[in-house]
Amino acid sequence: MFKLIAKDKEARTGILKTAHKEVETPFFMPVATKTAVKYLDPRDLEEIGINAIISNAFVLSLRPGLKTIKKAKGIHNFMNYKGAIFTDSGGFQKIKDSFYIKSSDKGIQLKSPFDGKKVILTPKLCMKIQNTLSSDVAMVIDEMPLPNQTRKEVELAVERTHKWAKECLKHHKNKKQLIFGIAQGGLFPDLREKSAKFISSLKFDGVAFGGLAIGEPEQKTYKMINSQVKHFPENKVRYLMGVGSPRQLINAIAAGADCFDSTFPTQNARHATLFTSKGKLQIKNSKYQNDLNPIDKNCDCYVCKNYTRSHIRHLLKMKEANGLRYATYHNIYFINNLMKQVRAAIKQGRFNKLRKEFLKKYK
Amino acid sequence: MFKLIAKDKEARTGILKTAHKEVETPFFMPVATKTAVKYLDPRDLEEIGINAIISNAFVLSLRPGLKTIKKAKGIHNFMNYKGAIFTDSGGFQKIKDSFYIKSSDKGIQLKSPFDGKKVILTPKLCMKIQNTLSSDVAMVIDEMPLPNQTRKEVELAVERTHKWAKECLKHHKNKKQLIFGIAQGGLFPDLREKSAKFISSLKFDGVAFGGLAIGEPEQKTYKMINSQVKHFPENKVRYLMGVGSPRQLINAIAAGADCFDSTFPTQNARHATLFTSKGKLQIKNSKYQNDLNPIDKNCDCYVCKNYTRSHIRHLLKMKEANGLRYATYHNIYFINNLMKQVRAAIKQGRFNKLRKEFLKKYK
């Protein structure tokens, strides 16, 4: 459950209690779709100070399959991670052609990218999967409207999302597991409001902004957050799904969001874009060829304490696994450290100053 | 330099003193061609107990280039590894079509796989590169005969190898760096003997068996080792290049070899073949799907202490980097631990018993 500790205007800090870990908010979750954050093992995550990650329930139900994870007594044991684990329902797979077939009132019809097998992901099945995985936080299945859908289509998606939210609550049986609702509404502020109010009225342990940061202009994202956040209860944690760029994180926290996940920092790392206290750094740039400085002089991470820009640049240019590992490690450390600084600033009433300074480097 | 500590029949244990590390023999070196052992960083290597690795001088002279490594004051600083670093000359690139053009008395003409640039790798250039890299041990450039070459061709290769060996000694200028000679001779025992005698007569710090384990029948490999080893001096370390399978390692140690390198354990790991105290284990086999045991119950490595067969199998099937990392870590730990056991057994005069037991599992 969530305990609010301090507010600085709309920005909040608090503690989310889960079965495996108490996690201070705001926090960012690296993505471990298949029970692994790419290039970081659980020991790395612990060393970095990551207290929560998110996996994908539907993908895990296909591979390794529920039987295997049940045999290991849940996802924590299976992968040997001691922090909090969220599981996304799989509804987000809608944006991937390799998974999505069609939606109906019953659920979302998906196909396995491994063997083509078709499955209708209903609220009941979605809860059964997550109850079995025994993640700390289960996400409901929702009908996410795609960016260019009409108002009529988005209205239908909101109706389905609400119907499924109620059904998920009914079928949620794992008492150690929290369950979060997801509000939708596309890019229509009134539908966003309506959905926020409805989801807030149900007995969820946390609430989420769904279907954002999927290609819409960034100002629209903040507008949609603002139209929903005021209808979300103060005493529930607010999860903005799919956001992980440094700028969007700090702006969303300013708007009142508490928790985040995204492949953005890890994907950027693999594409040699590194986050530093002075802004983004394109490590493959030839000016770093003989640069013996760490990625970021102001960073205390294992990578910055041990390896130079020159070495990391070489490894990434050579596509060496160690280069991908160092880059990923640093970017996740940077985002996690940003969250730490943000929490301290909120407690001390200087969040907006921190944000203003930070945005100079991340326009 | 090398200090012999104990012998058990032909098997030896001793200490090789290098500028950065004293390394107990017999030892195995993981391959770090481009300054990185695939999926293991220097901290992992230290944790495993690896005291020496081998990199590739010619490849490093192309990327990142000597200027970059010189700027970092040598390869140790560049990659931040504190153990001993051997560098191979690049002569072995002969077996790779992406590198090799032709050989002449002057040297080996190679092309860069990065930009097609042609380079004649002469003994002088080969030494200049390795002197600049400042590795602990430089290897001479040699002319390695290919497996199906005629006696005439192999005789020519041996002549060139000997000529280049003398030239390498002449051009070797880095006083902190050891230099090892390489004996060739194809699959002709008398040429092998001749080459061993000649290389032993020069002022090298160590001697190597070259051009073995490149496709010839395994019994031929041992026959060639036997024909050379008796002509190698007792007080010089003996390096069998390119050997890394558990069986070949233990048999070569029995024949009197002291040090080894190979991509065999790391490549096997990436292909999901894991070494255990009970023999090889094909982790992708479906019988391991729900197996909650470690890779090897008798192994104390980080991976065996933390992750199950079930989890590692899943990660490898999903091509996740963490799976490749765990498999690589375990295989290198296994080989390193085998070397430890071998050293203790030689000191205690029970090496042949250990070898006999071991070969039951690795036929």
Side-chain angles (χ1 to χ4, degrees):
Chain A
M1 298 302 199
F2 182 64
K3 191 183 160 196
L4 185 64
I5 306 276
K7 280 190 75 172
D8 186 356
K9 293 199 177 137
E10 294 312 311
R12 301 144 39 105
T13 180
I15 294 172
L16 175 67
K17 291 187 191 183
T18 74
H20 289 83
K21 193 95 179 178
E22 297 197 354
V23 188
E24 283 187 81
T25 69
F27 66 91
F28 171 81
M29 296 186 277
V31 176
T33 302
K34 297 170 184 171
T35 70
V37 176
K38 290 201 189 310
Y39 295 96
L40 298 180
D41 69 18
R43 182 164 64 164
D44 295 326
L45 296 173
E46 199 184 328
E47 185 176 84
I48 291 170
I50 287 292
N51 289 315
I53 60 174
I54 184 161
S55 191
N56 187 303
F58 179 68
V59 173
L60 295 185
S61 76
L62 302 176
R63 295 285 186 285
L66 287 188
K67 200 179 147 194
T68 296
I69 294 188
K70 199 173 178 178
K71 193 88 199 293
K73 294 187 178 138
I75 185 172
H76 289 80
N77 253 345
F78 180 67
M79 66 179 288
N80 194 21
Y81 178 64
K82 291 173 177 60
I85 304 180
F86 281 50
T87 37
D88 198 5
S89 65
F92 190 72
Q93 308 309 112
K94 199 177 159 176
I95 65 162
K96 294 182 182 166
D97 288 341
S98 54
F99 281 94
Y100 185 63
I101 302 172
K102 63 177 181 187
S103 298
S104 71
D105 279 346
K106 258 180 88 182
I108 302 178
Q109 193 176 16
L110 296 167
K111 59 179 185 280
S112 164
F114 306 112
D115 61 10
K117 203 184 127 197
K118 292 177 187 174
V119 184
I120 298 177
L121 192 61
T122 61
K124 186 176 174 181
L125 176 59
C126 169
M127 285 299 110
K128 188 190 154 226
I129 292 169
Q130 295 187 76
N131 288 177
T132 304
L133 294 174
S134 216
S135 51
D136 292 280
V137 176
M139 300 303 298
V140 296
I141 181 170
D142 57 341
E143 174 81 315
M144 181 176 77
L146 297 176
N148 47 14
Q149 287 192 299
T150 62
R151 183 174 175 100
K152 265 244 134 34
E153 289 169 318
V154 177
E155 277 173 358
L156 176 65
V158 167
E159 286 314 308
R160 268 189 196 153
T161 293
H162 294 178
K163 176 174 173 284
W164 293 350
K166 285 188 289 181
E167 287 174 44
C168 282
L169 276 172
K170 194 177 93 189
H171 293 293
H172 181 251
K173 308 282 185 194
N174 185 329
K175 292 202 172 142
K176 288 186 183 169
Q177 185 177 57
L178 304 180
I179 177 171
F180 283 20
I182 304 175
Q184 290 287 354
L187 298 177
F188 301 97
D190 61 317
L191 296 182
R192 282 270 162 198
E193 278 195 35
K194 182 185 163 188
S195 190
K197 283 182 194 168
F198 183 82
I199 293 298
S200 300
S201 76
L202 300 181
K203 291 197 168 170
F204 285 116
D205 300 302
V207 292
F209 309 85
L212 291 174
I214 54 171
E216 76 280 8
E218 202 171 320
Q219 289 314 314
K220 286 258 183 189
T221 314
Y222 302 132
K223 201 174 165 193
M224 295 306 116
I225 293 171
N226 288 330
S227 66
Q228 293 195 304
V229 76
K230 56 191 167 212
H231 301 292
F232 281 156
E234 281 251 313
N235 65 348
K236 285 184 187 174
V237 75
R238 300 160 182 172
Y239 172 15
L240 176 57
M241 304 181 81
V243 160
S245 92
R247 180 183 58 245
Q248 288 186 313
L249 285 170
I250 209 153
N251 285 333
I253 290 167
D258 304 313
C259 123
F260 311 91
D261 80 285
S262 169
T263 57
F264 190 90
T266 46
Q267 277 188 349
N268 268 266
R270 298 201 298 278
H271 291 102
T273 299
L274 305 179
F275 307 145
T276 82
S277 54
K278 303 212 160 132
K280 287 186 187 178
L281 186 149
Q282 304 296 345
I283 191 82
K284 282 193 185 169
N285 193 309
S286 64
K287 71 178 167 187
Y288 301 121
Q289 179 161 6
N290 299 321
D291 188 337
L292 299 178
N293 289 301
I295 297 169
D296 185 352
K297 275 185 189 173
N298 299 317
C299 178
D300 289 322
C301 86
Y302 160 67
V303 174
C304 286
K305 291 290 170 203
N306 285 283
Y307 306 106
T308 63
R309 290 173 176 175
S310 176
H311 183 48
I312 296 166
R313 176 180 184 273
H314 166 63
L315 295 178
L316 283 171
K317 281 186 77 83
M318 295 292 107
K319 300 183 177 70
E320 282 284 345
N322 286 0
L324 297 164
R325 181 169 152 73
Y326 298 158
T328 304
Y329 190 110
H330 171 81
N331 271 6
I332 291 294
Y333 187 96
F334 178 88
I335 296 290
N336 199 55
N337 193 46
L338 176 63
M339 294 296 109
K340 243 188 234 179
Q341 292 175 337
V342 160
R343 292 192 296 263
I346 294 171
K347 281 178 198 162
Q348 293 160 15
R350 54 175 179 77
F351 170 70
N352 279 294
K353 196 181 157 216
L354 180 148
R355 180 185 167 212
K356 218 177 132 188
E357 283 302 310
F358 188 82
L359 290 176
K360 284 182 194 164
K361 311 291 182 190
Y362 286 89
K363 274 164 204 151
Chain B
M1 299 302 200
F2 182 64
K3 191 182 161 196
L4 185 64
I5 306 276
K7 278 190 77 172
D8 186 355
K9 296 202 175 134
E10 295 311 311
R12 302 142 40 104
T13 179
I15 293 173
L16 175 67
K17 290 187 192 185
T18 74
H20 289 83
K21 194 96 180 179
E22 298 198 353
V23 188
E24 285 187 78
T25 69
F27 66 91
F28 171 81
M29 296 185 277
V31 176
T33 302
K34 299 172 184 171
T35 70
V37 176
K38 289 202 190 308
Y39 295 96
L40 298 181
D41 69 19
R43 182 163 64 164
D44 295 327
L45 296 172
E46 199 186 329
E47 185 177 85
I48 291 169
I50 287 292
N51 289 316
I53 60 174
I54 184 161
S55 190
N56 186 302
F58 179 68
V59 173
L60 294 185
S61 77
L62 302 175
R63 296 284 186 283
L66 287 188
K67 200 179 147 195
T68 296
I69 294 187
K70 199 174 179 179
K71 193 86 200 294
K73 296 186 175 138
I75 185 173
H76 289 81
N77 253 345
F78 179 67
M79 67 178 287
N80 194 20
Y81 177 64
K82 291 172 177 59
I85 304 181
F86 282 50
T87 38
D88 198 4
S89 66
F92 189 73
Q93 307 310 111
K94 200 176 159 175
I95 63 162
K96 293 182 183 167
D97 288 340
S98 54
F99 281 94
Y100 185 63
I101 301 172
K102 62 178 183 189
S103 299
S104 72
D105 279 348
K106 259 181 89 181
I108 302 177
Q109 192 175 17
L110 296 167
K111 60 177 184 279
S112 164
F114 306 112
D115 60 10
K117 203 184 127 196
K118 291 177 186 174
V119 184
I120 297 178
L121 193 62
T122 62
K124 186 176 175 181
L125 176 60
C126 170
M127 285 299 111
K128 188 190 154 226
I129 292 170
Q130 294 186 76
N131 287 178
T132 305
L133 294 174
S134 218
S135 52
D136 293 280
V137 177
M139 300 303 298
V140 296
I141 180 169
D142 56 340
E143 175 81 314
M144 180 178 79
L146 297 176
N148 46 15
Q149 287 193 298
T150 64
R151 183 175 173 98
K152 265 244 134 38
E153 290 169 317
V154 176
E155 277 172 358
L156 177 66
V158 167
E159 286 316 308
R160 268 192 195 151
T161 293
H162 294 178
K163 176 175 172 283
W164 293 349
K166 286 188 290 184
E167 287 175 44
C168 281
L169 276 172
K170 194 177 94 191
H171 293 293
H172 182 250
K173 309 283 187 196
N174 186 329
K175 291 199 173 145
K176 288 186 185 168
Q177 186 177 56
L178 305 179
I179 176 170
F180 283 21
I182 305 175
Q184 289 289 353
L187 299 177
F188 301 98
D190 61 318
L191 296 181
R192 283 269 162 199
E193 277 195 36
K194 182 184 164 190
S195 190
K197 283 181 193 166
F198 182 81
I199 293 298
S200 300
S201 74
L202 301 181
K203 291 197 167 169
F204 285 116
D205 301 302
V207 291
F209 310 86
L212 291 174
I214 55 171
E216 76 279 8
E218 201 170 321
Q219 289 314 313
K220 286 256 183 192
T221 313
Y222 302 132
K223 202 175 165 196
M224 297 305 116
I225 294 171
N226 288 331
S227 66
Q228 294 196 303
V229 76
K230 55 191 169 214
H231 302 291
F232 281 155
E234 280 251 313
N235 65 348
K236 285 184 186 173
V237 75
R238 302 159 182 172
Y239 172 15
L240 175 57
M241 303 181 81
V243 160
S245 91
R247 181 183 57 245
Q248 288 185 312
L249 285 170
I250 209 152
N251 285 332
I253 290 167
D258 304 312
C259 122
F260 311 90
D261 81 284
S262 169
T263 56
F264 190 89
T266 45
Q267 276 188 350
N268 269 266
R270 298 201 297 278
H271 291 103
T273 299
L274 304 179
F275 307 145
T276 81
S277 55
K278 304 213 160 132
K280 286 187 188 177
L281 185 149
Q282 305 296 344
I283 190 81
K284 281 193 185 169
N285 193 307
S286 64
K287 71 179 166 187
Y288 302 121
Q289 177 160 6
N290 299 320
D291 187 337
L292 300 178
N293 290 301
I295 297 169
D296 185 351
K297 274 185 189 173
N298 298 317
C299 178
D300 288 322
C301 85
Y302 160 66
V303 174
C304 286
K305 291 290 172 204
N306 284 282
Y307 306 106
T308 63
R309 290 173 175 175
S310 175
H311 183 48
I312 296 166
R313 175 180 185 274
H314 166 63
L315 295 178
L316 283 171
K317 282 187 77 83
M318 294 292 107
K319 302 183 175 68
E320 282 284 345
N322 287 0
L324 297 164
R325 181 170 153 72
Y326 298 158
T328 304
Y329 189 110
H330 171 81
N331 272 5
I332 291 295
Y333 187 96
F334 178 88
I335 296 290
N336 198 56
N337 193 47
L338 176 63
M339 295 296 108
K340 244 188 234 180
Q341 292 174 338
V342 160
R343 292 192 295 263
I346 294 171
K347 282 177 198 163
Q348 294 161 13
R350 53 174 179 78
F351 170 71
N352 280 295
K353 195 181 159 219
L354 181 148
R355 179 183 168 214
K356 216 176 134 190
E357 284 301 311
F358 187 82
L359 290 176
K360 284 182 195 164
K361 310 291 180 189
Y362 286 89
K363 275 167 202 147

